[in-house]
Amino acid sequence: MTDSIDFAPLRAIGWPWPGAAEAPAWQALFAAHPQARPGRVIEQHRSGYVVADAPETAIKTESPPEWQRPRFPSHERAAVGDWVLLEGKRIVALLPRRTSIKRGAAGEHYHQQVIGANIDTVFIVCGLDADFNPRRIERYLLLVGGGGAEPVVVLTKVDQTGYSDDALEVLQDLAAQQIPLLAINGKDPASVAALQPWLGPGRTVVLVGSSGAGKSTLTNTLLGEERMKTGAVRGSDSRGRHTTTHRALMPLPSGACLIDTPGMRELKPTGEETLAEGGFADIEALTLQCKFSDCSHQTEPGCAVQAAIERGDIDETRLESYLKLREEVALAAAKLAKRQAEQASERKTAGRGAQWRPVNRNKRR
């Protein structure tokens, strides 16, 4: 099975965490495809994937036919960072993920979009200009928190403002929950060196943030070369154009792998998130102390959350954000449950149809 695989070049692109290749689910897939070799998805395009099986390789691949069906769940297709099995230039299997970042995709119908897979750390990048938005940071933390990766908030453009200390102070509620906060100049290698503890050999990091936050600039500094396009931002709101147009995984000189992503305008929950893991652990703990179990944390007597606001322990805008996100997660969870019930019914119907077919008694012998 895996005895004949040369793992040295694969480790340079993040081959995997200890024990993964020995897991029963992995072994079953290797056994089902004995002629296949593993590779990692390094680019995802509308027309297909690019897969690497070593640092310098880039193989344009065909995806399995079932992935191309309109109703095939998008989050069950490969994403950047996924490990797959290849036969020639064709993907034949998706190996189980360790971690992932997902969001609810735009549109009426419920489905999930995977932003990146098999990630150790997520750098949530936010510019210290008009891009600075604590509420958006909370949304990113919510999406990251349930996926298993470690979030790190990276405030860029510290060279363009004298208010970086004030911004860090605004986010102290996050720091109190052991979420790392760093303010850096993305153009300065000495400043960017503060990120090195998360960029060791074999680790995978993904950059997320709005357009114009400085992700491409930071990527170029980490790579040590001007590989990614960068662009100016609008003066009115510091928003930039999408200089990154697709997700891509790149090996770094440090031995880590970096995934850069396009800016995301919509950050919808999937319904699988946990608010306690999304930067609201302090508020979630307080809700358990309220007098009423169904407390809405507005005007009820004995509300521990409102008491914390009156003491100045919690900012009222954070509570508003918490309540808004809690409602969105609940709505998404209801849609997810409905979709799962529909899929179970579809599988049951398909299975019944495969087992029973009417006999045509008029058929000539």
Side-chain angles (χ1 to χ4, degrees):
M1 288 192 268
T2 58
D3 297 339
S4 60
I5 298 172
D6 181 6
F7 290 107
L10 294 170
R11 290 191 188 99
I13 53 174
W15 175 261
W17 48 102
E22 289 73 41
W26 284 57
Q27 289 295 311
L29 288 170
F30 277 109
H33 305 280
Q35 303 304 314
R37 67 192 190 283
R40 195 171 196 190
V41 176
I42 59 172
E43 291 183 23
Q44 181 181 1
H45 303 273
R46 290 183 180 180
S47 57
Y49 298 93
V50 178
V51 176
D53 56 8
E56 302 302 324
T57 61
I59 306 160
K60 290 185 178 181
T61 60
E62 299 176 20
S63 56
E66 58 268 25
W67 291 7
Q68 299 166 28
R69 295 172 188 159
R71 290 182 62 82
F72 190 87
S74 59
H75 65 281
E76 294 181 16
R77 299 184 179 102
V80 173
D82 266 320
W83 289 95
V84 297
L85 293 181
L86 293 174
E87 288 183 357
K89 294 185 177 182
R90 185 167 60 92
I91 296 174
V92 294
L94 171 64
L95 293 168
R97 294 169 179 143
R98 175 174 56 115
T99 64
S100 64
I101 306 174
K102 296 184 287 187
R103 66 169 174 171
E108 233 177 88
H109 302 289
Y110 179 90
H111 64 284
Q112 300 178 357
Q113 180 184 24
V114 180
I115 307 303
N118 301 315
I119 296 154
D120 296 289
T121 305
V122 181
F123 289 155
I124 300 171
V125 183
C126 185
L128 283 169
D129 47 16
D131 179 64
F132 181 69
N133 186 333
R135 305 290 80 83
R136 193 188 314 120
I137 291 172
E138 289 165 357
R139 281 186 173 272
Y140 274 115
L141 287 170
L142 181 68
L143 299 186
V144 172
E150 177 190 11
V152 176
V153 177
V154 180
L155 304 178
T156 59
K157 307 182 184 181
V158 69
D159 54 311
Q160 299 179 27
T161 179
Y163 301 104
S164 57
D165 290 341
D166 295 337
L168 291 170
E169 182 63 30
V170 168
L171 300 175
Q172 278 309 298
D173 288 325
L174 302 180
Q177 297 173 65
Q178 310 305 312
I179 296 172
L181 308 176
L182 295 99
I184 64 167
N185 174 2
K187 297 179 180 179
D188 180 9
S191 181
V192 171
L195 304 178
Q196 288 305 315
W198 295 278
L199 297 171
R203 294 182 65 82
T204 299
V205 173
V206 63
L207 301 178
V208 298
S210 58
S211 298
K215 300 189 300 299
S216 295
T217 298
L218 179 56
T219 297
N220 287 337
T221 302
L222 290 170
L223 288 169
E225 60 178 283
E226 295 291 320
R227 189 184 305 180
M228 307 298 287
K229 291 182 180 179
T230 60
V233 298
R234 291 194 301 248
S236 58
D237 58 5
S238 296
R239 290 297 179 92
R241 295 180 178 178
H242 289 285
T243 52
T244 300
T245 57
H246 62 275
R247 298 174 186 89
L249 182 146
M250 298 157 280
L252 296 177
S254 67
C257 292
L258 178 72
I259 299 175
D260 191 13
T261 66
M264 292 181 283
R265 290 188 176 90
E266 279 199 273
L267 299 171
K268 294 171 60 176
T270 65
E272 299 174 330
E273 296 81 7
T274 303
L275 287 156
E277 295 178 345
F280 294 104
D282 53 346
I283 296 180
E284 285 277 276
L286 284 169
T287 62
L288 301 177
Q289 302 172 26
C290 291
K291 182 177 180 179
F292 302 106
S293 59
D294 61 347
C295 183
S296 67
H297 317 301
Q298 299 293 325
T299 58
E300 293 91 341
C303 176
V305 179
Q306 286 295 333
I309 290 174
E310 290 175 10
R311 293 193 304 269
D313 295 342
I314 289 179
D315 189 83
E316 191 166 5
T317 57
R318 281 193 71 229
L319 173 60
E320 293 171 0
S321 179
Y322 166 82
L323 294 174
K324 182 173 174 23
L325 289 173
R326 186 178 68 171
E327 182 179 358
E328 289 184 31
V329 171
L331 287 171
K335 290 182 179 180
L336 171 60
K338 181 182 178 182
R339 180 65 185 134
Q340 289 174 334
E342 290 172 349
Q343 289 174 329
S345 177
E346 289 169 3
R347 286 193 294 269
K348 188 175 180 180
T349 301
R352 189 184 297 125
Q355 294 170 12
W356 178 84
R357 287 187 178 88
V359 176
N360 185 352
R361 299 186 183 278
N362 296 321
K363 184 178 179 180
R364 292 183 179 179
R365 295 181 181 276

